Amino acid sequence: QPVLTQSSSASASLGSSVKLTCTLSSGHSSYIIAWHQQQPGKAPRYLMKLEGSGNYNKGSGVPDRFSGSSSGADRYLTISNLQFEDEADYYCETWDSNTFVVFGGGTKLTVL
Amino acid sequence: QVQLAQSGGGLVKPGGSLRLSCTASGFTFSDYYMSWIRQAPGKGLEWVSYISSSSSYTNYADSVKGRFTISRDNAKNSLYMQMNSLRAEDTAVYFCARWIFGVVIDYWGQGTLVTVSS
């Protein structure tokens, strides 16, 4: 079954860019994932679906500052022109026929 | 626009029961699989269960199998989770979510807190 590995924390300055990583476990490098944002005290929000090819489809209303890319087993979420409202936990998610919905441990992003 | 409005939740004693509800709007509810996900205080997201669009298929995380039952009423655009034999470790915020089967979750409810404590 797939395991999604994320760094526990990341930080970047206001107005800069940050690239968050979600790594799929061995044998699952082709899997589609989703990125979700969870601001403090709120429900998660779907950001995008990201394929192994690097193609991505964003959810409704997701700003252009958010983009996705892929390299092998790594799935990336890049946030450009960081804003204070981007300070949140970011989770990746995938699916497997044996384990069903699987989440990464989440990355806590701090905007300095 | 797609909305998932949750109700239910609250404080319950260990061994007790609770029923969560999630009412959908803005899309054809009967076309989609639905799922429940929970988040213990200060922890990450944990998938709990899913149900197919016609209720033909359900699955559960091992941690709740045999105690929780997912169901839906497509005529009422509603999803439910019956939680029995609740334990302290079931304490969490529970989210309903629209799930594109075999792909990803694309919409979330606002969440409802379940606290299991004596």
Side-chain angles (χ1 to χ4, degrees), chain A residues 1-67:
Chain A
Q1 55 271 31
V3 175
L4 299 173
T5 302
Q6 301 181 251
S7 298
S8 59
S9 64
S11 62
S13 299
L14 182 71
S16 70
S17 295
V18 67
K19 191 174 189 179
L20 306 182
T21 305
C22 173
T23 302
L24 287 149
S25 52
S26 177
H28 302 93
S29 61
S30 64
Y31 278 37
I32 293 171
I33 72 149
W35 281 104
H36 302 276
Q37 177 197 58
Q38 188 176 31
Q39 294 172 323
K42 293 190 174 183
R45 175 195 184 188
Y46 168 71
L47 293 177
M48 67 181 67
K49 180 186 74 169
L50 176 60
E51 300 175 5
S53 62
N55 290 335
Y56 63 95
N57 296 97
K58 292 196 292 186
S60 175
V62 176
D64 293 341
R65 304 185 292 105
F66 290 81
S67 62

Side-chain angles (χ1 to χ4, degrees), chain B residues 2 26-35 51-55 72 74 79 97-101 104 106-107:
Chain B
V2 172
F27 66 102
T28 305
F29 181 71
S30 58
D31 284 348
Y32 288 88
Y33 279 54
M34 297 294 292
S35 197
I51 186 167
S52 64
S53 54
S54 61
S55 303
R72 65 191 294 163
N74 286 343
L79 173 73
R98 191 175 85 168
W99 182 41
I100 302 175
F101 176 72
V104 295
D106 67 347
Y107 284 96

Side-chain angles (χ1 to χ4, degrees), chain B residues 63-105:
Chain B
S63 55
V64 306
K65 202 172 292 183
R67 300 187 299 120
F68 289 14
T69 303
I70 191 171
S71 63
R72 65 191 294 163
D73 184 338
N74 286 343
K76 294 182 178 180
N77 290 340
S78 292
L79 173 73
Y80 306 102
M81 177 63 82
Q82 177 65 42
M83 304 185 294
N84 298 331
S85 303
L86 283 161
R87 307 167 179 166
E89 55 264 35
D90 296 317
T91 294
V93 175
Y94 286 74
F95 300 99
C96 64
R98 191 175 85 168
W99 182 41
I100 302 175
F101 176 72
V103 189
V104 295
I105 288 166

